[in-house]
Amino acid sequence: MSPISLPLDLAALRLAHDRIRDAVIRTVQWQNDPLSEELGVPLRLKLENLQRTGSFKLRGATHKIGRLLDSDTPPTGVVAASAGNHAQGVARAAAQCGLRAVVVMPSNAPLTKIQSCRKLGADVRLVGDNLEVAADEARRLAKEEDLAFLHPYDDWDVIAGQASCGLEMLEDAPDMTVAIVPLGGGGLISGVALALKLQNPAIRVIGVQTEAVAPWRTFLRDGALEEVPPGAHTIADGIKVKRPGLLTRQVIARYVDEIVTVDDNAIAEAIVTLLERTRTIGEGAGVVGLAALMQKKIVLAPDDRAVVVISGGNVDMTLVGRSIDYGLASSGRLMCVAVTISDAPGQLLGLLKTVAELGMNVRHVEHRRGELHVPVGMTEVILQMETRDLDHQRALLTLLATQGLRVRNLVV
């Protein structure tokens, strides 16, 4: 495959990698044997969640700022709009150069990401309740305060910086056949796809979006972007991008082979799996590639060798517990039922004995009396339990039904 007509070739990508080499970490590319066995294919994880600032975004921001400072008219400061990862990348890259950084974030951005940007010395402005409003404000500030606007993905210098991730992937796994990459605005996958395809056109590059915000869903088929419904919500906020880039479209149209989507259930399960298998945290957007493999959204041949980019780990700590419980429930390892029993001594003990005999661990017990849906003389017991899988849960529901008890599964 010959290079498309754009200002990036393999030499430019390698030069960008050299420029940022001292400012970013060459993140580990870990072959995970248990996951490989589960998925039936040799699998490596490119752990960009261990990057400085916790995300691949530092690569593109560092390269862009370096290019600006090397220009004939270097800026006195930079401004960016971001819900978190791009903001932190810009803040750190600017601080390393002693450059002023203004970051415009939506007012509902995670508090941890806001605080991280401030600790890095950025001037954080909270504007609006979505990224589009924040971006408009950032562009206004760029003109008003004579700052250089740093786009999070639709910029050749940013794409070249992100390509360093792809160069490392192929250097560490020269036999790779498939690359699976999160897809939001398209900056990361554009860089990775260029880095890989310009060296080995046979490598398949697959992008993964969240089902709730999937403007790229049909792009490879008909070249059109889907409209994202207002108020779309996903735990993969880092790829919740409604306006994909114009430049990234050029690269994706030529160099990306397939685009798939995963829902929040699958993403939550992948967060749990990554935590269990690698003892590292991945944010929702960062683990969508792993989620797609776990859900068999991507067809791999037995002789394929896949590398999955875990693009970030900046998950809000208040969300971690909820995501873990969500993932456990989705995979059949957490169950919550409401059981109506006689409000008499010994009835609760009998119920708990039934649960114990099945080898389930009770995490929480709650009584409900006097509510309209609970008959007089009865009590409703809410049980939250740790279970092995969905079959284990079905065994409990079947056993309770044979005992004549009314049971409601509160998770499904």
Side-chain angles (χ1 to χ4, degrees), residues 7-20:
L8 292 177
D9 57 17
L10 188 56
L13 302 185
R14 286 176 171 156
L15 181 58
H17 193 198
D18 289 340
R19 285 190 180 115
I20 68 174

Side-chain angles (χ1 to χ4, degrees), residues 12-29:
L13 302 185
R14 286 176 171 156
L15 181 58
H17 193 198
D18 289 340
R19 285 190 180 115
I20 68 174
R21 192 182 300 273
D22 293 336
V24 304
I25 296 172
R26 184 187 182 98
T27 52
V28 64
Q29 192 156 288

Side-chain angles (χ1 to χ4, degrees), residues 4-231:
I4 58 178
S5 179
L6 51 80
L8 292 177
D9 57 17
L10 188 56
L13 302 185
R14 286 176 171 156
L15 181 58
H17 193 198
D18 289 340
R19 285 190 180 115
I20 68 174
R21 192 182 300 273
D22 293 336
V24 304
I25 296 172
R26 184 187 182 98
T27 52
V28 64
Q29 192 156 288
W30 185 25
Q31 181 166 331
N32 191 280
D33 293 334
L35 273 177
S36 297
E37 291 173 8
E38 284 180 32
L39 299 171
V41 64
L43 175 67
R44 290 176 180 263
L45 303 176
K46 178 64 169 170
L47 297 178
E48 283 294 291
N49 56 327
L50 302 182
Q51 185 59 257
R52 293 185 176 114
T53 73
S55 162
F56 75 95
K57 289 285 190 178
L58 180 62
R59 296 175 181 269
T62 299
H63 186 243
K64 178 62 180 180
I65 288 177
R67 292 277 286 164
L68 288 171
L69 292 177
D70 287 343
S71 68
D72 293 335
T73 55
T76 59
V78 295
V79 60
S82 168
N85 287 339
H86 178 57
Q88 291 175 86
V90 169
R92 181 181 174 87
Q96 292 294 102
C97 301
L99 195 63
R100 179 190 176 210
V102 178
V103 173
V104 184
M105 307 178 77
S107 58
N108 56 4
L111 182 60
T112 54
K113 295 183 179 182
I114 295 171
Q115 292 174 334
S116 293
C117 289
R118 286 177 172 152
K119 288 179 181 178
L120 288 166
D123 176 4
V124 178
R125 316 276 182 93
L126 302 178
V127 178
D129 59 1
N130 61 65
L131 194 54
E132 287 72 26
V133 173
D136 290 341
E137 174 63 11
R139 289 188 176 91
R140 187 191 69 79
L141 288 172
K143 294 179 180 178
E144 183 179 285
E145 302 186 21
D146 193 26
L147 303 170
F149 176 73
L150 268 60
H151 199 285
Y153 48 84
D154 212 25
D155 182 295
W156 292 124
D157 289 329
V158 170
I159 292 171
Q162 317 303 23
S164 62
C165 180
L167 293 174
E168 293 172 8
M169 289 165 64
L170 192 55
E171 288 172 3
D172 291 342
D175 62 344
M176 67 182 293
T177 62
V178 181
I180 303 169
V181 188
L183 174 55
L188 176 61
I189 199 170
S190 292
V192 169
L194 283 167
L196 298 179
K197 293 282 194 176
L198 293 178
Q199 297 182 82
N200 182 356
I203 295 174
R204 289 168 59 205
V205 178
I206 301 173
V208 186
Q209 302 176 100
T210 170
E211 179 71 26
V213 183
W216 297 98
R217 192 194 320 260
T218 61
F219 180 73
L220 295 181
R221 187 183 70 211
D222 55 23
L225 296 173
E226 285 192 17
E227 185 175 345
V228 176

Side-chain angles (χ1 to χ4, degrees), residues 167-380:
L167 293 174
E168 293 172 8
M169 289 165 64
L170 192 55
E171 288 172 3
D172 291 342
D175 62 344
M176 67 182 293
T177 62
V178 181
I180 303 169
V181 188
L183 174 55
L188 176 61
I189 199 170
S190 292
V192 169
L194 283 167
L196 298 179
K197 293 282 194 176
L198 293 178
Q199 297 182 82
N200 182 356
I203 295 174
R204 289 168 59 205
V205 178
I206 301 173
V208 186
Q209 302 176 100
T210 170
E211 179 71 26
V213 183
W216 297 98
R217 192 194 320 260
T218 61
F219 180 73
L220 295 181
R221 187 183 70 211
D222 55 23
L225 296 173
E226 285 192 17
E227 185 175 345
V228 176
H233 173 74
T234 175
I235 61 174
D237 59 288
I239 54 173
K240 187 180 176 182
V241 177
K242 299 180 181 180
R243 298 177 187 172
L246 296 173
L247 305 183
T248 56
R249 288 180 214 178
Q250 297 178 42
V251 182
I252 290 171
R254 180 67 183 273
Y255 287 111
V256 173
D257 299 281
E258 185 180 353
I259 294 172
V260 301
T261 64
V262 289
D263 61 22
D264 277 9
N265 279 32
I267 295 169
E269 286 183 36
I271 290 174
V272 175
T273 297
L274 184 74
L275 182 59
E276 288 184 326
R277 298 293 191 274
T278 71
R279 300 299 186 264
T280 68
I281 289 287
E283 60 188 281
V287 303
V288 291
L290 179 58
L293 279 179
M294 292 170 58
Q295 293 293 308
K296 304 189 184 308
K297 293 292 188 79
I298 297 170
V299 178
L300 297 177
D303 59 345
D304 271 327
R305 291 164 297 281
V307 178
V308 179
V309 180
I310 306 298
S311 61
N314 290 318
V315 61
D316 188 343
M317 286 299 104
T318 62
L319 183 62
V320 172
R322 296 199 299 272
S323 294
I324 290 175
D325 281 352
Y326 194 78
L328 291 174
S330 180
S331 61
R333 294 162 62 189
L334 185 65
M335 184 183 197
C336 189
V337 296
V339 186
T340 302
I341 61 176
S342 173
D343 192 10
Q347 295 298 305
L348 175 60
L349 179 60
L351 176 61
L352 294 177
K353 282 183 177 179
T354 298
V355 171
E357 288 168 0
L358 285 174
M360 297 177 173
N361 183 43
V362 177
R363 285 181 29 165
H364 179 74
V365 180
E366 177 185 347
H367 276 275
R368 289 180 180 173
R369 297 182 179 88
E371 298 187 14
L372 293 179
H373 69 282
V374 180
V376 175
M378 307 293 284
T379 183
E380 186 176 63

